Amino acid sequence: MTTDTAHRVNGASHPEGTGTWAVLLPAGRYDAERLVHHDTLELTELADAGLPRPGDQVAVLADEPLRLVAVGRVSAPTAQRPEDPDDPQSDRVSQPLVVAYTRRAFDQPVPADALVLGGPVTALDPGTFRELVDRLGPPPQRRSWLVSLDLPIEADSPAEAVRLFWAYVQELGPRELPAFVSPSGDELAMQAFVLGAEANQDPEEDD
């Protein structure tokens, strides 16, 4: 008999908050998570039966090829967040599965092609989960970065130029505008990023 403090998936029973799971990102969501920083991952339209419970650990995966892109813990849903144009599921209203990120690897995912999934949410053996997460290695050391966005704007006044700047930022966003980033104190190492990836902005180098 299964009690309120345990759930059973594929024959495996876990006390509440100690389950380990694999969650597959929907199509298009991987790019959205790379573009804009989110503290949590919210997924909707999942079956209620057999879902992870608050406190359960989750390995977040992207498909084609299958790879581990983040790790997190399930948290209780909060109020619905505003619509995000870079999140293809943000306008959904059903109760979401909320995963609070504890480790992100969207820019350097690790292969997980040996893992067999049974759908968008799959219960994992704790040993399999740990082996998968260990492939990420130790987290990289955090450092300070300088990030800038320069736009040439024609306007009648400085205030109008600023208003136009924010209008362009909201309209074009990270999918079209290049952001320039460099380590603090090493501006010569500046790189341009578009769509969450390094992008060459020198047309002469493309010739």
Side-chain angles (χ1 to χ4, degrees):
M1 178 177 179
T2 303
T3 67
D4 292 339
T5 59
H7 57 285
R8 187 174 299 274
V9 179
N10 296 334
S13 179
H14 302 285
E16 182 176 359
T18 62
T20 49
W21 303 78
V23 171
L24 186 63
L25 291 174
R29 192 60 183 269
Y30 173 67
D31 289 337
E33 294 300 309
R34 288 190 68 196
L35 283 177
V36 179
H37 176 92
H38 298 113
D39 290 328
T40 60
L41 171 69
E42 297 186 9
L43 299 175
T44 58
E45 296 189 350
L46 298 174
D48 292 335
L51 283 182
R53 294 188 176 188
D56 285 355
Q57 298 183 81
V58 173
V60 181
L61 303 164
D63 206 358
E64 297 181 355
L66 193 64
R67 56 209 187 276
L68 176 67
V69 297
V71 183
R73 282 191 179 273
V74 178
S75 59
T78 57
Q80 184 179 0
R81 65 181 180 181
E83 183 174 346
D84 183 346
D86 289 316
D87 179 350
Q89 290 197 321
S90 65
D91 57 346
R92 308 292 176 83
V93 295
S94 59
Q95 189 79 342
L97 169 65
V98 181
V99 178
Y101 288 122
T102 57
R103 175 79 183 272
R104 297 171 177 82
F106 290 103
D107 300 317
Q108 294 180 320
V110 298
D113 47 354
L115 198 64
V116 178
L117 302 182
V121 179
T122 303
L124 294 180
D125 175 85
T128 301
F129 177 87
R130 176 48 51 195
E131 180 183 354
L132 181 63
V133 173
D134 285 346
R135 297 179 190 175
L136 291 173
Q141 184 177 1
R142 297 180 67 86
R143 60 187 302 183
S144 296
W145 301 86
L146 295 177
V147 182
S148 62
L149 178 64
D150 297 325
L151 292 176
I153 295 176
E154 294 184 3
D156 298 332
S157 67
E160 178 65 15
V162 171
R163 285 191 290 271
L164 287 171
F165 171 85
W166 288 117
Y168 287 136
V169 170
Q170 292 178 343
E171 177 182 357
L172 300 177
R175 297 180 181 276
E176 298 185 47
L177 292 175
F180 300 91
V181 58
S182 64
S184 295
D186 188 10
E187 286 72 16
L188 294 179
M190 181 177 291
Q191 298 172 308
F193 277 75
V194 180
L195 288 172
E198 186 177 353
N200 180 27
Q201 298 295 304
D202 188 348
E204 296 183 357
E205 294 185 8
D206 292 335
D207 298 335

